[in-house]
Amino acid sequence: MMEQEDKSLIDGKIEELKFDIEKLNEQKFVNLLIEIIVSITLNELNEKSD
């Protein structure tokens, strides 16, 4: 009986970690998109000022 509880506890923890990793990856992706947008915007501003 204890093994089943342990397995379910471990499975729950794994799901939790997968969720956290997914959130982290989403945040990194958003940060990357922001960097790209800022970079393009700065490049365009620099070109206009030349």
Side-chain angles (χ1 to χ4, degrees):
M1 197 60 170
M2 193 65 174
E3 274 184 31
Q4 190 59 39
E5 284 179 29
D6 286 349
K7 182 173 177 358
S8 123
L9 196 65
I10 290 169
D11 287 347
K13 206 57 167 159
I14 288 172
E15 285 308 309
E16 214 177 288
L17 288 170
K18 282 182 183 173
F19 181 77
D20 289 348
I21 289 169
E22 198 174 299
K23 282 283 168 222
L24 190 62
N25 285 339
E26 287 173 10
Q27 190 58 56
K28 285 181 180 178
F29 183 66
V30 168
N31 288 347
L32 181 62
L33 286 178
I34 291 170
E35 278 186 47
I36 290 169
I37 292 168
V38 168
S39 177
I40 289 170
T41 305
L42 288 175
N43 283 340
E44 287 180 2
L45 288 173
N46 280 336
E47 285 175 13
K48 283 182 182 170
S49 69
D50 284 346

